[in-house]
Amino acid sequence: KAVGHCQWYGITCDTEGFVTGIDLQDNNLVGNFPVYTHKLDASYPGKVFGNWEYTKYGLAQLHRLETLDLADNELTGTVDYAPLYNLLSLTHFDVSGNLLRGGIDALISPSLKYADFSNNGFTSMRRFQMYKGTFLLYCDVSNNAIEENATDLLANIPHNIEQFIASSNQIYGNLPASLDDLPKLRQFNMASNALSGDLPGFTESLAILEELDVSNQTTGFKGPIPVDVWRHLSLNILNLADNRLTGNLPSLVGNLAVLEVLDLSNNLLKGSLPSELGMRGGGASLKLLGLTNNAFTGVIPYQMGQLQGASV
């Protein structure tokens, strides 16, 4: 018995029968990304759909689509983004965990809030543009093979971004000054890339930044850790391991009352360890403390004995 498309598995419709959601996560889907289908059109005899404007099928015509989740399948090939630019209501886009390649465009819809391209084989990413992607809150492009200059890529990162994850790629160069002007940023993870230069202080996100992970850079950040980093009172994770950072570890580390992970191993830090590492507020919540392979000197403060249960 035939059923309407609104009763199909994974399909959500509005009261008028227009498709608003597609959730086919982990459904063994194979083949190319389904922007449109290649079929003959009676209006254009003998013509195979090679242009999405002529097709009546596929994602390009779902103008009220809000959610598209095709994660954890086996989709291959590249994504043709041009037809998707007409999906003005699209807020959630997830193609993570597939076999896709080519480029990433996190600006496919002016309404997009959530974009996940992680765990694929993408090799490039379209640069963020000023006045576009203003609603984007979450962007994950981790575990790909993106080779882009970080300064160009992130110069116009959306002002309202809350979570940006781009770990395990081949992104290189300096982080731009625009990262100091992200008042809603809660998570920034660009571990395992080829970043270099000075580390930003993420100044405008002092009150809410919870995770900062720029560890394991093949080139490595240099110079001292910015003072503003120690003023992020909401930090749970601070991972700066495997860089070329220099200078001392300041007593300001005692301000990080909710810090659970502090990894500074494999840098060029020197001087004595501050007692605040183990004092209330500076170490009470620590679960992991990494300081190996630096040039610290002096005695270990007795206060660090208060790090009960922490892996040091």
Side-chain angles (χ1 to χ4, degrees):
K1 182 180 178 179
V3 296
H5 62 275
C6 293
Q7 281 73 51
W8 294 354
Y9 176 81
I11 301 300
T12 302
C13 294
D14 61 16
T15 56
E16 299 180 71
F18 290 96
V19 175
T20 58
I22 299 176
D23 185 355
L24 296 175
Q25 179 182 7
D26 194 15
N27 264 272
N28 299 311
L29 299 179
V30 298
N32 293 337
F33 186 83
V35 171
Y36 52 83
T37 54
H38 292 273
K39 292 186 177 181
L40 293 177
D41 187 346
S43 302
Y44 300 86
K47 181 178 178 60
V48 175
F49 290 139
N51 189 330
W52 68 272
E53 293 175 331
Y54 296 135
T55 182
K56 300 181 179 66
Y57 308 94
L59 297 175
Q61 304 301 330
L62 302 180
H63 300 298
R64 297 195 188 181
L65 189 66
E66 298 175 2
T67 300
L68 177 62
D69 191 342
L70 301 177
D72 300 322
N73 286 288
E74 296 184 16
L75 299 176
T76 57
T78 60
V79 178
D80 184 358
Y81 294 101
L84 302 179
Y85 295 152
N86 277 350
L87 304 182
L88 304 182
S89 299
L90 188 66
T91 60
H92 183 108
F93 183 85
D94 192 344
V95 291
S96 61
N98 281 281
L99 303 171
L100 297 168
R101 55 184 173 82
I104 289 174
D105 189 351
L107 303 176
I108 55 177
S109 169
S111 301
L112 198 65
K113 296 180 180 179
Y114 181 102
D116 194 342
F117 297 85
S118 63
N119 298 293
N120 279 283
F122 292 111
T123 55
S124 64
M125 180 176 177
R126 182 184 177 188
R127 300 169 183 174
F128 290 113
Q129 297 181 21
M130 191 174 294
Y131 308 121
K132 289 189 175 182
T134 54
F135 293 100
L136 188 63
L137 304 178
Y138 179 95
C139 182
D140 189 348
V141 297
S142 60
N143 294 298
N144 282 288
I146 301 170
E147 188 172 359
E148 299 281 356
N149 183 289
T151 303
D152 296 334
L153 182 64
L154 302 176
N156 293 310
I157 189 170
H159 186 68
N160 291 325
I161 194 80
E162 295 181 359
Q163 296 171 272
F164 182 75
I165 308 164
S167 55
S168 299
N169 282 286
Q170 301 169 28
I171 302 172
Y172 59 90
N174 299 351
L175 291 179
S178 57
L179 298 181
D180 283 328
D181 190 26
L182 300 176
K184 297 185 178 181
L185 187 66
R186 294 187 290 109
Q187 179 184 19
F188 186 85
N189 189 334
M190 290 192 69
S192 301
N193 279 284
L195 300 174
S196 58
D198 297 328
L199 183 66
F202 297 88
T203 309
E204 286 298 316
S205 53
L206 284 177
I208 62 172
L209 187 64
E210 299 173 0
E211 177 183 339
L212 175 58
D213 190 341
V214 290
S215 61
N216 193 31
Q217 303 298 327
T218 56
T219 304
F221 292 102
K222 60 180 179 61
I225 300 172
V227 173
D228 281 334
V229 168
W230 308 112
R231 294 173 176 157
H232 290 277
L233 304 184
S234 299
L235 270 178
N236 298 130
I237 298 174
L238 177 59
N239 193 344
L240 307 178
D242 296 288
N243 281 285
R244 295 186 295 147
L245 296 168
T246 58
N248 299 329
L249 185 58
S251 60
L252 284 172
V253 69
N255 293 337
L256 306 182
V258 297
L259 193 65
E260 296 182 0
V261 175
L262 175 61
D263 196 346
L264 305 174
S265 55
N266 300 311
N267 278 286
L268 303 172
L269 300 171
K270 62 181 182 178
S272 59
L273 296 176
S275 59
E276 286 79 2
L277 266 177
M279 297 172 65
R280 179 177 176 83
S285 61
L286 272 179
K287 297 178 181 178
L288 174 64
L289 175 62
L291 301 173
T292 58
N293 293 323
N294 280 285
F296 292 118
T297 57
V299 298
I300 298 176
Y302 72 88
Q303 290 90 345
M304 292 184 64
Q306 301 178 33
L307 299 178
Q308 298 179 3
S311 177
V312 181

